[in-house]
Amino acid sequence: MSLADHSSTHVSRLRRGALGLLLLVAAVLAGICIGETPIPMSTVLQTLANKILGSAYPVDPIDMGIIWNYRLPRAIVAGSCGAGLAISGMVLQSLLRNALADPYLLGISAGASTGAVFVTIAGLGAGAISMSLGAFAGAIAAFLLVAALARASGAGATLHGTGQIILAGIAGSQLFNALTSFIITKSANAEQARGIMFWLLGNLSGVRWPDVWLSVAVTVIGLVVCIWYARALDAFAFGAESASSLGINVRRVQVVLIGLTALVTAVMVSIVGSIGFVGLVIPHAARFLVGVRHGRLLPITALIGAAFMIATDVISRTIVPGQVLPIGVITALVGAPAFALILLRGRRRP
């Protein structure tokens, strides 16, 4: 490649990155403006200028509180959650070579929910960090169980993308969902049970600034680590044996990236609950747009996932006047038909 071609490619990447950043900012602003009570864009921009730049625009204190303390953290957490779950689904699909792999179907979300609920009801610490640790332990336990079931049923030690891993994931999900229900029924009072069940369907109503820092940090770290392993993920497209022949340490890559997806999923579940289908649908949409090279695919997947989650959050707050639906309901309404299309597409493929 000549110097001119290299410079042109670099400029093109910068332009795509700037465009993606602008689209993400636009999605966040839309998430702030649109809601139960619409807020003008000018009011949003003035509030952000007052809070970030120290300006002195005259803004109603109630509007300023809604924007800064409620809608802005909610939009940022929604974007981080969407990006994190989409990246997790992308990594699992690539490592397992299975188009149906995602944290929800493989039981990771269910295990994280069980861990988070157990920590919450048992009172082992307080705050998002304690819930995240419990969720992470549950996510790891769930994936180890699913992997053991899949291997025992014939999927093999390298966890290739076969039907066994999906069936094992469904079994694991049902087991951990049952454990979660048992814990709630056994230990929670009526008020706790109502709140937890609503949270498990996906709830962004309670997010605040501490959740923003945690979710953004985990998502950024997850994206950076995944991009670092982008070439290894490209190699996994030809199978673990082929990746090993190319000099990839297959076991290390699997441990690092699967552990990372469990961590990202656990943190998101501890903040917003179990949200399905994001990690399943978004990676396929990203592949349709930019192909299968993970160096480009991962950032686009994160961007689309963030925008998708912000949009579904807006829909959940506005589709029924005067009522906020769990965000998991909206993602399921979109994801279930997409799941069916993926199944049909896989069946028709020779």
Side-chain angles (χ1 to χ4, degrees):
M1 180 183 292
S2 66
L3 182 61
D5 291 338
H6 180 76
S7 177
S8 176
T9 301
H10 183 67
V11 171
S12 178
R13 288 177 179 174
L14 288 177
R15 288 177 177 174
R16 288 198 297 266
L19 179 60
L21 183 60
L22 288 175
L23 290 175
L24 183 58
V25 171
V28 171
L29 290 176
I32 299 172
C33 293
I34 305 172
E36 305 89 331
T37 302
I39 298 178
M41 178 66 72
S42 59
T43 303
V44 172
L45 296 177
Q46 288 174 355
T47 298
L48 296 179
N50 290 348
K51 291 291 186 178
I52 298 174
L53 303 178
S55 302
Y57 291 105
V59 179
D60 185 271
I62 296 178
D63 289 340
M64 184 176 295
I66 292 174
I67 293 168
W68 186 256
N69 296 320
Y70 176 64
R71 290 193 183 178
L72 178 58
R74 182 170 182 145
I76 296 176
V77 170
S80 299
C81 179
L85 292 177
I87 293 170
S88 298
M90 171 65 68
V91 169
L92 290 173
Q93 290 171 13
S94 299
L95 289 179
L96 303 177
R97 298 180 65 201
N98 194 311
L100 301 180
D102 89 321
Y104 190 81
L105 288 179
L106 294 185
I108 297 176
S109 293
S113 299
T114 301
V117 168
F118 178 77
V119 167
T120 301
I121 293 180
L124 303 178
I129 298 297
S130 296
M131 283 186 66
S132 297
L133 290 175
F136 179 66
I140 291 294
F143 187 82
L144 290 177
L145 174 64
V146 170
L149 286 175
R151 183 175 180 179
S153 64
T158 54
L159 294 180
H160 280 331
T162 61
Q164 284 91 338
I165 192 76
I166 298 299
L167 294 175
I170 294 173
S173 294
Q174 293 301 315
L175 172 62
F176 280 93
N177 286 333
L179 287 174
T180 301
S181 299
F182 176 79
I183 293 170
I184 294 172
T185 303
K186 182 72 175 178
S187 304
N189 56 42
E191 184 177 352
Q192 283 180 320
R194 190 181 307 109
I196 290 174
M197 294 306 294
F198 188 84
W199 169 77
L200 286 174
L201 292 173
N203 180 24
L204 287 161
S205 299
V207 299
R208 296 296 182 263
W209 281 108
D211 302 314
V212 171
W213 310 129
L214 177 61
S215 63
V216 170
V218 170
T219 300
V220 170
I221 291 172
L223 179 59
V224 170
V225 173
C226 289
I227 291 177
W228 179 265
Y229 283 98
R231 291 188 177 181
L233 289 171
D234 288 338
F236 270 87
F238 303 99
E241 293 82 3
S242 298
S244 180
S245 67
L246 293 173
I248 304 297
N249 189 328
V250 172
R251 183 61 61 188
R252 184 180 69 183
V253 171
Q254 288 179 332
V255 169
V256 170
L257 292 184
I258 290 177
L260 181 69
T261 59
L263 173 63
V264 173
T265 302
V267 170
M268 300 311 163
V269 167
S270 69
I271 296 174
V272 302
S274 181
I275 299 175
F277 294 104
V278 177
L280 173 65
V281 175
I282 301 302
H284 291 283
R287 289 191 192 96
F288 178 78
L289 292 175
V290 299
V292 296
R293 296 293 297 272
H294 287 81
R296 292 180 298 174
L297 189 58
L298 286 164
I300 294 299
T301 300
L303 176 64
I304 298 175
F308 173 77
M309 188 63 74
I310 293 172
T312 54
D313 178 47
V314 170
I315 293 172
S316 72
R317 288 183 280 134
T318 57
I319 191 171
V320 178
Q323 184 176 353
V324 179
L325 293 179
I327 194 170
V329 173
I330 308 300
T331 59
L333 289 174
V334 176
F339 180 81
L341 290 175
I342 294 169
L343 285 175
L344 293 174
R345 182 183 177 187
R347 183 178 180 180
R348 292 171 183 170
R349 186 175 298 168

